[in-house]
Coordinates of all heavy atoms in Angstrom, one line a residue:
A839 N -12.3 2.4 -9.0 CA -12.0 1.3 -9.9 C -11.9 1.8 -11.4 O -10.9 1.5 -12.1 CB -13.0 0.1 -9.8
E840 N -12.8 2.6 -11.8 CA -12.8 3.2 -13.1 C -11.6 4.1 -13.3 O -10.9 4.1 -14.3 CB -14.1 4.0 -13.4 CG -15.3 3.2 -13.4 CD -16.6 4.0 -13.7 OE1 -16.5 5.2 -13.6 OE2 -17.6 3.4 -13.9
V841 N -11.3 5.0 -12.3 CA -10.3 5.9 -12.4 C -8.9 5.2 -12.4 O -8.0 5.6 -13.2 CB -10.3 6.9 -11.2 CG1 -9.0 7.7 -11.1 CG2 -11.5 7.8 -11.3
V842 N -8.7 4.2 -11.6 CA -7.5 3.5 -11.6 C -7.3 2.7 -12.9 O -6.2 2.8 -13.5 CB -7.5 2.5 -10.4 CG1 -6.4 1.5 -10.5 CG2 -7.3 3.2 -9.1
T843 N -8.3 2.1 -13.4 CA -8.2 1.3 -14.6 C -7.9 2.3 -15.8 O -7.0 2.0 -16.6 CB -9.5 0.6 -14.9 OG1 -9.8 -0.3 -13.8 CG2 -9.4 -0.2 -16.2
E844 N -8.5 3.4 -15.8 CA -8.3 4.4 -16.9 C -6.8 4.9 -16.8 O -6.2 5.1 -17.8 CB -9.2 5.6 -16.7 CG -9.0 6.7 -17.7 CD -10.0 7.9 -17.4 OE1 -10.2 8.2 -16.2 OE2 -10.5 8.5 -18.3
H845 N -6.3 5.2 -15.6 CA -5.0 5.7 -15.4 C -3.9 4.7 -15.9 O -3.0 5.1 -16.6 CB -4.8 6.1 -14.0 CG -3.4 6.7 -13.7 ND1 -2.3 6.0 -13.3 CD2 -3.0 8.0 -13.8 CE1 -1.3 6.8 -13.2 NE2 -1.7 8.0 -13.4
L846 N -4.1 3.5 -15.6 CA -3.1 2.5 -16.0 C -3.1 2.2 -17.5 O -2.1 1.8 -18.0 CB -3.4 1.1 -15.2 CG -3.1 1.2 -13.7 CD1 -3.4 -0.2 -13.1 CD2 -1.6 1.6 -13.4
A847 N -4.3 2.5 -18.1 CA -4.3 2.3 -19.5 C -3.4 3.3 -20.3 O -3.1 3.1 -21.5 CB -5.8 2.4 -20.0
G848 N -3.0 4.3 -19.6 CA -2.1 5.3 -20.2 C -0.7 4.8 -20.3 O 0.1 5.5 -20.9
Y849 N -0.3 3.7 -19.7 CA 1.0 3.2 -19.7 C 1.1 2.1 -20.7 O 0.1 1.4 -21.0 CB 1.4 2.6 -18.4 CG 1.6 3.7 -17.3 CD1 0.6 4.1 -16.5 CD2 2.9 4.2 -17.1 CE1 0.8 5.0 -15.5 CE2 3.1 5.2 -16.1 CZ 2.0 5.6 -15.3 OH 2.2 6.5 -14.3
A850 N 2.3 1.9 -21.3 CA 2.5 0.7 -22.1 C 2.3 -0.5 -21.3 O 2.8 -0.6 -20.1 CB 3.9 0.8 -22.7
A851 N 1.6 -1.5 -21.8 CA 1.2 -2.6 -20.9 C 2.4 -3.4 -20.4 O 2.3 -3.9 -19.3 CB 0.3 -3.6 -21.8
V852 N 3.5 -3.4 -21.1 CA 4.6 -4.2 -20.7 C 5.4 -3.5 -19.6 O 6.3 -4.0 -19.0 CB 5.6 -4.5 -21.9 CG1 5.0 -5.4 -22.9 CG2 6.1 -3.2 -22.5
T853 N 5.0 -2.2 -19.3 CA 5.7 -1.5 -18.2 C 4.9 -1.5 -16.9 O 5.2 -0.8 -16.0 CB 6.0 0.0 -18.6 OG1 4.8 0.7 -18.7 CG2 6.8 0.0 -19.9
V854 N 3.8 -2.3 -16.9 CA 3.0 -2.4 -15.7 C 3.1 -3.8 -15.2 O 3.0 -4.8 -15.9 CB 1.5 -2.0 -16.0 CG1 0.6 -2.2 -14.8 CG2 1.4 -0.6 -16.6
D855 N 3.3 -4.0 -13.9 CA 3.4 -5.3 -13.2 C 2.2 -6.1 -13.6 O 1.0 -5.7 -13.5 CB 3.4 -5.1 -11.7 CG 3.8 -6.4 -11.0 OD1 3.3 -7.5 -11.4 OD2 4.5 -6.3 -10.0
P856 N 2.4 -7.4 -14.1 CA 1.3 -8.3 -14.5 C 0.2 -8.4 -13.4 O -1.0 -8.6 -13.7 CB 2.0 -9.6 -14.8 CG 3.3 -9.2 -15.2 CD 3.7 -8.0 -14.4
R857 N 0.7 -8.4 -12.1 CA -0.3 -8.5 -11.0 C -1.3 -7.4 -11.1 O -2.4 -7.6 -10.7 CB 0.4 -8.6 -9.7 CG 1.3 -9.8 -9.5 CD 2.0 -9.8 -8.1 NE 2.7 -8.5 -7.9 CZ 2.3 -7.6 -7.1 NH1 1.1 -7.7 -6.4 NH2 3.0 -6.5 -6.9
W858 N -0.8 -6.2 -11.5 CA -1.7 -5.1 -11.5 C -2.8 -5.2 -12.7 O -3.9 -4.9 -12.5 CB -0.9 -3.8 -11.8 CG -0.1 -3.4 -10.6 CD1 0.5 -4.2 -9.7 CD2 0.2 -2.0 -10.1 NE1 1.2 -3.4 -8.7 CE2 1.0 -2.1 -9.0 CE3 -0.2 -0.8 -10.6 CZ2 1.4 -1.0 -8.3 CZ3 0.3 0.4 -9.9 CH2 1.1 0.2 -8.8
H859 N -2.3 -5.8 -13.8 CA -3.3 -6.1 -14.8 C -4.3 -7.1 -14.3 O -5.5 -7.0 -14.6 CB -2.6 -6.7 -16.0 CG -1.7 -5.8 -16.8 ND1 -2.2 -4.6 -17.4 CD2 -0.4 -5.7 -17.1 CE1 -1.3 -4.0 -18.0 NE2 -0.1 -4.6 -17.8
E860 N -3.9 -8.1 -13.6 CA -4.9 -9.1 -13.0 C -5.8 -8.4 -12.0 O -7.0 -8.7 -12.0 CB -4.1 -10.2 -12.3 CG -3.3 -11.0 -13.2 CD -2.3 -12.0 -12.5 OE1 -2.4 -12.0 -11.2 OE2 -1.6 -12.8 -13.1
Q861 N -5.3 -7.5 -11.2 CA -6.2 -6.8 -10.3 C -7.2 -5.9 -11.0 O -8.4 -5.9 -10.7 CB -5.4 -5.9 -9.3 CG -4.5 -6.7 -8.4 CD -3.6 -5.8 -7.6 OE1 -3.8 -4.6 -7.4 NE2 -2.5 -6.4 -7.0
T862 N -6.8 -5.2 -12.0 CA -7.8 -4.3 -12.7 C -8.8 -5.1 -13.5 O -9.9 -4.7 -13.7 CB -7.1 -3.3 -13.6 OG1 -6.2 -4.0 -14.5 CG2 -6.2 -2.3 -12.8
A863 N -8.4 -6.3 -14.0 CA -9.3 -7.2 -14.7 C -10.4 -7.6 -13.8 O -11.6 -7.8 -14.2 CB -8.6 -8.4 -15.3
E864 N -10.1 -7.8 -12.5 CA -11.1 -8.3 -11.5 C -12.1 -7.1 -11.2 O -13.3 -7.4 -10.8 CB -10.5 -8.7 -10.2 CG -9.7 -10.0 -10.4 CD -9.0 -10.4 -9.1 OE1 -9.2 -9.7 -8.1 OE2 -8.3 -11.4 -9.1
F865 N -11.8 -5.9 -11.5 CA -12.7 -4.8 -11.2 C -13.8 -4.8 -12.2 O -14.9 -4.4 -11.9 CB -12.0 -3.4 -11.3 CG -10.8 -3.2 -10.4 CD1 -9.8 -2.3 -10.7 CD2 -10.7 -3.9 -9.2 CE1 -8.8 -2.1 -9.9 CE2 -9.7 -3.8 -8.4 CZ -8.7 -2.8 -8.7
E866 N -13.5 -5.3 -13.4 CA -14.5 -5.3 -14.5 C -15.0 -3.9 -14.8 O -16.2 -3.6 -15.0 CB -15.7 -6.2 -14.2 CG -15.2 -7.7 -14.1 CD -16.4 -8.7 -13.9 OE1 -17.5 -8.2 -13.6 OE2 -16.2 -9.9 -14.0
A867 N -14.1 -2.9 -14.7 CA -14.5 -1.5 -14.9 C -14.2 -1.1 -16.3 O -13.3 -0.3 -16.6 CB -13.7 -0.6 -13.9
A868 N -14.9 -1.7 -17.3 CA -14.7 -1.4 -18.7 C -15.0 0.1 -19.0 O -15.9 0.7 -18.4 CB -15.6 -2.3 -19.5
A869 N -14.3 0.7 -19.9 CA -14.5 2.1 -20.3 C -15.8 2.2 -21.0 O -16.0 1.8 -22.1 CB -13.3 2.5 -21.1
W870 N -16.8 2.9 -20.3 CA -18.1 3.1 -20.9 C -18.2 4.6 -21.5 O -19.1 4.9 -22.2 CB -19.2 3.0 -19.9 CG -19.0 3.8 -18.7 CD1 -18.3 3.4 -17.5 CD2 -19.5 5.1 -18.4 NE1 -18.4 4.4 -16.6 CE2 -19.1 5.5 -17.1 CE3 -20.2 6.0 -19.2 CZ2 -19.3 6.7 -16.6 CZ3 -20.5 7.3 -18.7 CH2 -20.1 7.6 -17.4
W871 N -17.2 5.4 -21.2 CA -17.2 6.8 -21.6 C -16.6 6.9 -23.0 O -15.9 6.1 -23.5 CB -16.3 7.6 -20.6 CG -15.0 7.1 -20.3 CD1 -13.8 7.3 -20.9 CD2 -14.7 6.1 -19.2 NE1 -12.8 6.6 -20.3 CE2 -13.3 5.9 -19.3 CE3 -15.4 5.5 -18.3 CZ2 -12.7 5.0 -18.4 CZ3 -14.8 4.6 -17.4 CH2 -13.4 4.4 -17.5
P872 N -17.0 8.0 -23.7 CA -16.6 8.1 -25.1 C -15.1 8.3 -25.3 O -14.4 8.7 -24.4 CB -17.4 9.4 -25.6 CG -18.4 9.6 -24.5 CD -17.9 9.0 -23.3
S873 N -14.6 7.9 -26.4 CA -13.2 8.0 -26.7 C -12.9 9.5 -26.8 O -13.7 10.3 -27.3 CB -12.9 7.4 -28.1 OG -11.6 7.6 -28.5
G874 N -11.8 9.9 -26.2 CA -11.4 11.3 -26.1 C -11.9 12.0 -24.9 O -11.5 13.1 -24.6
S875 N -12.8 11.3 -24.1 CA -13.3 11.9 -22.9 C -12.6 11.1 -21.7 O -11.7 10.3 -21.9 CB -14.8 11.7 -22.8 OG -15.3 12.2 -21.6
T876 N -12.9 11.5 -20.5 CA -12.4 10.8 -19.3 C -13.6 10.3 -18.5 O -14.7 10.7 -18.7 CB -11.5 11.7 -18.5 OG1 -12.4 12.7 -17.9 CG2 -10.4 12.3 -19.3
A877 N -13.3 9.4 -17.6 CA -14.4 8.9 -16.7 C -15.0 10.0 -15.9 O -16.2 10.1 -15.8 CB -13.8 7.8 -15.8
A878 N -14.2 11.0 -15.4 CA -14.7 12.1 -14.6 C -15.6 13.0 -15.5 O -16.7 13.4 -15.0 CB -13.6 12.9 -14.0
Q879 N -15.2 13.3 -16.7 CA -16.0 14.1 -17.5 C -17.3 13.5 -17.9 O -18.4 14.1 -17.9 CB -15.2 14.5 -18.8 CG -14.0 15.4 -18.6 CD -13.1 15.5 -19.8 OE1 -13.2 14.6 -20.7 NE2 -12.2 16.4 -19.8
A880 N -17.2 12.2 -18.2 CA -18.5 11.4 -18.6 C -19.4 11.4 -17.4 O -20.7 11.5 -17.6 CB -18.1 10.0 -19.0
H881 N -18.9 11.2 -16.2 CA -19.8 11.2 -15.0 C -20.5 12.5 -14.8 O -21.7 12.6 -14.5 CB -19.0 10.8 -13.8 CG -18.9 9.3 -13.5 ND1 -20.0 8.6 -13.1 CD2 -17.9 8.5 -13.7 CE1 -19.6 7.3 -12.9 NE2 -18.3 7.2 -13.3
L882 N -19.7 13.6 -15.0 CA -20.3 14.9 -14.9 C -21.4 15.2 -15.9 O -22.5 15.7 -15.5 CB -19.2 16.0 -15.0 CG -18.4 16.3 -13.8 CD1 -17.2 17.2 -14.2 CD2 -19.2 17.0 -12.7
N883 N -21.2 14.7 -17.1 CA -22.3 14.9 -18.1 C -23.5 14.0 -17.8 O -24.6 14.4 -18.1 CB -21.7 14.5 -19.5 CG -20.6 15.5 -19.9 OD1 -20.6 16.7 -19.5 ND2 -19.7 15.1 -20.8
R884 N -23.2 12.8 -17.3 CA -24.3 11.8 -17.1 C -25.0 12.1 -15.8 O -26.3 12.1 -15.8 CB -23.8 10.4 -17.1 CG -24.9 9.3 -17.1 CD -24.3 7.9 -16.9 NE -23.7 7.8 -15.5 CZ -23.1 6.7 -15.1 NH1 -23.0 5.6 -15.9 NH2 -22.7 6.6 -13.8
D885 N -24.3 12.3 -14.7 CA -24.9 12.4 -13.4 C -25.3 13.8 -13.0 O -26.1 14.0 -12.1 CB -23.9 11.8 -12.4 CG -23.6 10.3 -12.7 OD1 -24.4 9.7 -13.4 OD2 -22.5 9.9 -12.3
G886 N -24.6 14.8 -13.6 CA -24.9 16.2 -13.2 C -24.0 16.7 -12.2 O -23.4 16.0 -11.4
W887 N -23.9 18.0 -12.1 CA -22.9 18.7 -11.2 C -23.3 18.4 -9.8 O -22.4 18.1 -9.0 CB -23.0 20.2 -11.5 CG -22.3 21.0 -10.5 CD1 -22.8 21.6 -9.4 CD2 -20.9 21.4 -10.4 NE1 -21.9 22.3 -8.6 CE2 -20.7 22.1 -9.3 CE3 -19.8 21.1 -11.3 CZ2 -19.4 22.6 -8.9 CZ3 -18.6 21.6 -10.9 CH2 -18.4 22.3 -9.8
V888 N -24.5 18.6 -9.4 CA -24.9 18.5 -8.0 C -24.5 17.1 -7.4 O -24.1 17.0 -6.3 CB -26.4 18.8 -7.8 CG1 -26.8 18.5 -6.4 CG2 -26.6 20.3 -8.1
T889 N -24.7 16.1 -8.3 CA -24.5 14.7 -7.8 C -23.0 14.4 -7.8 O -22.5 13.8 -6.8 CB -25.3 13.7 -8.7 OG1 -26.7 14.0 -8.5 CG2 -25.0 12.3 -8.3
F890 N -22.3 14.7 -8.9 CA -21.0 14.1 -9.1 C -19.9 15.0 -8.6 O -18.8 14.5 -8.2 CB -20.7 13.8 -10.6 CG -19.4 13.1 -10.8 CD1 -19.2 11.8 -10.4 CD2 -18.4 13.8 -11.4 CE1 -18.0 11.2 -10.5 CE2 -17.2 13.1 -11.6 CZ -17.0 11.9 -11.2
A891 N -20.0 16.3 -8.6 CA -18.9 17.2 -8.2 C -18.5 16.9 -6.8 O -17.2 16.8 -6.5 CB -19.3 18.7 -8.3
P892 N -19.4 16.7 -5.8 CA -18.9 16.3 -4.5 C -18.2 15.0 -4.4 O -17.2 14.8 -3.7 CB -20.2 16.3 -3.6 CG -21.2 17.2 -4.4 CD -20.8 17.0 -5.8
E893 N -18.7 14.0 -5.2 CA -18.0 12.7 -5.3 C -16.6 12.8 -5.8 O -15.6 12.2 -5.3 CB -18.8 11.8 -6.2 CG -20.2 11.4 -5.7 CD -20.9 10.4 -6.5 OE1 -20.3 9.9 -7.5 OE2 -22.1 10.1 -6.3
L894 N -16.4 13.7 -6.8 CA -15.1 13.9 -7.4 C -14.2 14.6 -6.4 O -13.0 14.2 -6.3 CB -15.2 14.7 -8.7 CG -13.9 14.9 -9.5 CD1 -13.2 13.6 -9.8 CD2 -14.2 15.8 -10.7
L895 N -14.7 15.6 -5.8 CA -13.9 16.3 -4.8 C -13.4 15.3 -3.7 O -12.3 15.3 -3.2 CB -14.6 17.5 -4.2 CG -14.0 18.3 -3.1 CD1 -12.7 19.0 -3.6 CD2 -14.9 19.3 -2.5

Side-chain angles (χ1 to χ4, degrees):
E840 293 178 353
V841 168
V842 165
T843 302
E844 177 184 41
H845 184 267
L846 291 179
Y849 290 90
V852 294
T853 67
V854 178
D855 192 320
R857 297 181 305 105
W858 290 34
H859 289 299
E860 294 171 359
Q861 291 175 21
T862 54
E864 292 179 1
F865 302 156
E866 298 182 348
W870 55 271
W871 46 93
S873 176
S875 180
T876 66
Q879 292 167 345
H881 272 288
L882 279 170
N883 293 334
R884 187 189 71 180
D885 303 334
W887 169 267
V888 172
T889 298
F890 185 68
E893 294 182 5
L894 181 58
L895 177 65

